[in-house]
Amino acid sequence: MTSEEPFGFATEQIHGGVVPDAAFGARVPPIHMSSGFLFDDFDQARDRFAGTEDGYTYTRLGNPTNADVERRIALLEHGTEAILVSSGQAAAAVAFLGLVQAGDHIVSAQSIYEGTKGLLLQNLRRLGVEVDFVERSGDLAEWEARIRPNTKLLFGESIPNPKNDILDVAAVADLAHRHGVPLVVDNTLATPYLLRPLEHGADIVIHSASKFLSGHGVAIGGAVVDGGHFDWRAEPERWPHLHQPERALEGASYAERFGTGAAIVFARDVVAARLGPTPSPFNAFLIRQGIETLSLRVERHSRNAHAIAEWLARRPEVTSVDYAGLASNPYHALAERYLPRGAGSVFAFTLAGGEAAARRVMDAVRLFSRMTHLGDVRSLILHPASTTHAQRTPDERRAAGIDDGLIRLSVGLEDVADLIRDLDHAFNALSATGTADESGASLADGASDRAFATLTHAVSGARPIDEEI
Ligand SMILES: Cc1ncc(COP(=O)(O)O)c(C=O)c1O
């Protein structure tokens, strides 16, 4: 191995970004749970504030534990720099507000997380930023038709949920660059293990670190990662905030001082530092613990999801399975190109019986958790039409492919045979009309009930189900 040869993903996810603990030699870097940092003397305080000496001042502006995680995420995404923030929503807010101002315009794929859509429509619009949505993200002519002279960025998700309409990152990035603007990609569901959008031309990647990066489902966090290749100096009039003289930079502009790093430094120093979505170092530590097993988890998540998608596709009660890993899926060619390691684990399927059928299946599962979260080690199940997409009109839901019988899964790391057994049991509730109770749970399945009762009893100490009835 030559010294230039890159390390493998698994090595980087464990060792990347760590600064050894000089004080005590702790193998796992400690959690620097401190709001502020001591200055040795008068001069050091002045120099740290002036930025002429490296070092920490105050955790909102920087913290060694948070910085460890930033370096690791930047490394894994093959970016130049990352900002760790307190949620995925904060990551989107920081990324967008680092680029746009009143009078600007954003073009986004329609198929994005509802919270991000709300941020664009309810928050940024109030600040004078317009947004247009592209109905079919695969239609480059539609993207191009929506770009205006004041457009400042294009936005999409690498694996959108719940429909898995995979973004053609390279094609949209190419289009963005022809119009002089960056492409921002939410890579939450792919993670850098499955896809590195920056390698396909995207300029900025954002994450909800609450999902697969953590995996354990106990911490909320987010990240903004810069690819370091967009030239903010090419059209100074497009980015006035990066080209104005700054007192903090001794009269230089962000573009002059930081070049291709101008936008991420501005996002860190001006947007994140002032809005203040700093994560607790404790949460940063939890996110780092998660990242150390990312490749193993995502590989197994994808394998389990693929097996479940195939099982669902064979079921007569199911009219469609939106899993891009299936050869029959319209986005399979894009999945093969962008996601050769696996198509992820979040997808939807649609039951012929509409909402009534979805209710029965949702209420009958015992291993899947009814929860609005993704990327957890536990398998999760949700009915988008009555929850995440309830604010949309029926027409909007129909246009987005969110049928009343659509169910979203985030497939976890349990034994896949047990997950299929759970779904099979829930599907039995659809046909066993005579033997189903109010909630749709089959009363005929006593042995299986007892097995699940034993599991939850053993795990949680809760009373077995049959004692409760
Ligand atoms: C794709 C995607 N991006 C961003 C977010 C927002 O992340 P957070 O909940 O960490 O704010 C979510 C949340 O579900 C998401 O699914």
Side-chain angles (χ1 to χ4, degrees), residues 87-89 113 116 157 161 186 188-189 208-211 220-221 374:
S87 69
Q89 281 289 108
Y113 169 57
T116 312
E157 294 181 5
N161 120 62
D186 183 329
T188 298
L189 297 197
S208 165
S210 328
K211 309 294 190 299
I220 302 290
L374 304 168

Side-chain angles (χ1 to χ4, degrees), residues 1-237:
M1 184 176 191
T2 68
S3 56
E4 289 83 35
E5 221 171 288
F7 289 105
F9 193 96
T11 306
E12 288 187 341
Q13 75 188 357
I14 293 170
H15 295 285
V18 166
V19 173
D21 172 35
F24 300 107
R27 187 66 191 92
V28 175
I31 308 170
H32 293 277
M33 206 70 191
S34 180
S35 308
F37 299 84
L38 280 173
F39 305 121
D40 287 344
D41 54 23
F42 182 97
D43 286 347
Q44 190 179 55
R46 182 199 54 211
D47 294 347
R48 292 250 174 109
F49 266 72
T52 51
E53 179 187 301
D54 284 345
Y56 294 97
T57 56
Y58 185 59
T59 281
R60 174 163 48 77
L61 309 176
N63 175 285
T65 313
N66 298 0
D68 257 9
V69 183
E70 289 173 341
R71 284 190 296 272
R72 190 169 298 184
I73 293 176
L75 190 71
L76 294 178
E77 281 288 4
H78 286 186
T80 51
E81 186 170 343
I83 309 171
L84 192 72
V85 289
S86 56
S87 69
Q89 281 289 108
V94 167
F96 296 156
L97 291 173
L99 298 175
V100 299
Q101 60 187 38
D104 288 346
H105 176 249
I106 292 173
V107 182
S108 168
Q110 178 76 259
S111 186
I112 58 169
Y113 169 57
E114 288 293 288
T116 312
K117 196 168 283 174
L119 174 72
L120 292 167
L121 289 174
Q122 291 183 293
N123 299 78
L124 291 191
R125 200 172 257 180
R126 275 186 54 239
L127 300 178
V129 177
E130 292 296 320
V131 57
D132 271 310
F133 292 100
V134 173
E135 292 290 335
R136 292 171 310 280
S137 69
D139 185 346
L140 289 178
E142 194 186 342
W143 281 96
E144 187 148 36
R146 300 201 186 280
I147 295 175
R148 305 181 194 162
N150 61 338
T151 300
K152 294 297 167 73
L153 67 98
L154 307 191
F155 175 71
E157 294 181 5
S158 47
I159 305 181
N161 120 62
K163 298 297 284 182
N164 270 207
D165 35 349
I166 310 291
L167 187 71
D168 188 342
V169 179
V172 180
D174 192 44
L175 179 70
H177 298 157
R178 278 193 273 121
H179 289 268
V181 298
L183 171 66
V184 180
V185 172
D186 183 329
N187 199 33
T188 298
L189 297 197
T191 82
Y193 178 68
L194 296 181
L195 171 66
R196 289 180 170 123
L198 300 175
E199 287 186 340
H200 295 276
D203 301 284
I204 293 171
V205 158
I206 61 172
H207 275 282
S208 165
S210 328
K211 309 294 190 299
F212 292 96
L213 292 182
S214 290
H216 35 53
V218 300
I220 302 290
V224 182
V225 190
D226 188 46
H229 38 64
F230 191 86
D231 186 2
W232 309 101
R233 289 166 298 197
E235 288 183 85
E237 65 288 355

Side-chain angles (χ1 to χ4, degrees), residues 134-358:
V134 173
E135 292 290 335
R136 292 171 310 280
S137 69
D139 185 346
L140 289 178
E142 194 186 342
W143 281 96
E144 187 148 36
R146 300 201 186 280
I147 295 175
R148 305 181 194 162
N150 61 338
T151 300
K152 294 297 167 73
L153 67 98
L154 307 191
F155 175 71
E157 294 181 5
S158 47
I159 305 181
N161 120 62
K163 298 297 284 182
N164 270 207
D165 35 349
I166 310 291
L167 187 71
D168 188 342
V169 179
V172 180
D174 192 44
L175 179 70
H177 298 157
R178 278 193 273 121
H179 289 268
V181 298
L183 171 66
V184 180
V185 172
D186 183 329
N187 199 33
T188 298
L189 297 197
T191 82
Y193 178 68
L194 296 181
L195 171 66
R196 289 180 170 123
L198 300 175
E199 287 186 340
H200 295 276
D203 301 284
I204 293 171
V205 158
I206 61 172
H207 275 282
S208 165
S210 328
K211 309 294 190 299
F212 292 96
L213 292 182
S214 290
H216 35 53
V218 300
I220 302 290
V224 182
V225 190
D226 188 46
H229 38 64
F230 191 86
D231 186 2
W232 309 101
R233 289 166 298 197
E235 288 183 85
E237 65 288 355
R238 207 187 270 277
W239 315 106
H241 61 299
L242 301 179
H243 286 271
Q244 68 195 23
E246 297 284 346
R247 205 184 299 171
L249 303 179
E250 294 153 328
S253 69
Y254 278 87
E256 283 165 348
R257 178 66 64 86
F258 300 106
T260 52
I264 191 80
V265 177
F266 183 88
R268 180 192 292 283
D269 289 359
V270 180
V271 184
R274 301 278 158 66
L275 296 183
T278 310
S280 159
F282 184 67
N283 272 18
F285 163 81
L286 292 171
I287 292 165
R288 192 179 61 203
Q289 291 304 105
I291 290 174
E292 295 190 347
T293 56
L294 182 68
S295 63
L296 302 174
R297 286 185 288 106
V298 172
E299 191 270 331
R300 179 63 70 88
H301 275 295
S302 294
R303 196 144 31 105
N304 280 359
H306 201 120
I308 290 177
E310 280 182 340
W311 181 84
L312 287 165
R314 290 194 297 271
R315 294 292 300 212
E317 304 90 336
V318 172
T319 56
S320 65
V321 181
D322 297 309
Y323 187 61
L326 292 182
S328 56
N329 187 277
Y331 296 94
H332 187 63
L334 283 173
E336 281 199 310
R337 178 163 157 219
Y338 287 107
L339 306 164
R341 284 172 151 168
S345 88
V346 178
F347 69 97
F349 65 93
T350 302
L351 290 162
E355 185 183 302

